[in-house]
Amino acid sequence: PGCGKKPNAKGLCSKHYKLVSEYGLNKDRILELFEDATCKICGTRPEGRDLPIDHDHTCCPGSTSCGECVRGILCSGCNTAIGLFKESIPAMKSAIKYLEKR
């Protein structure tokens, strides 16, 4: 919804269909993810190509995902931040404590 690009025979544009192979998603799951295409951390609405799909990198080593470990859509800033923290919850909690002290 809202993509505006011409769908192929599978009912998705080429960009969104690529997500099927990269993230192991089916059409229904892709439509669910993009139904409310806002960053699940900061709430911004990413525009254009800035729609990173976040997934647990410890689940599927390599360049593709099984689909089960997809968490949602993030803006590129929040997606990068999680990556820089290497998805470490203790490190992120430590950063929050640090920021709250100042």
Side-chain angles (χ1 to χ4, degrees):
C3 174
K5 293 183 181 180
K6 183 179 176 185
N8 63 20
K10 305 271 187 196
L12 298 167
C13 72
S14 59
K15 176 182 168 184
H16 289 109
Y17 184 73
K18 185 178 177 189
L19 300 176
V20 171
S21 61
E22 283 185 29
Y23 292 98
L25 303 172
N26 61 33
K27 179 183 175 183
D28 291 336
R29 181 68 171 122
I30 291 170
L31 292 174
E32 177 187 319
L33 283 170
F34 286 93
E35 184 174 30
D36 176 27
T38 58
C39 176
K40 301 308 180 224
I41 293 176
C42 70
T44 61
R45 191 170 200 76
E47 295 293 330
R49 296 185 333 164
D50 192 24
L51 292 168
I53 291 181
D54 176 48
H55 69 286
D56 183 351
H57 290 266
T58 62
C59 178
C60 305
S63 61
T64 60
S65 164
C66 67
E68 296 297 317
C69 54
V70 169
R71 294 184 281 226
I73 292 175
L74 301 178
C75 69
S76 61
C78 289
N79 193 43
T80 299
I82 287 176
L84 291 172
F85 275 104
K86 297 180 174 71
E87 299 184 20
S88 168
I89 293 171
M92 288 186 244
K93 285 181 179 180
S94 180
I96 290 167
K97 286 180 186 177
Y98 170 79
L99 291 172
E100 288 176 338
K101 286 181 184 179
R102 279 133 184 88

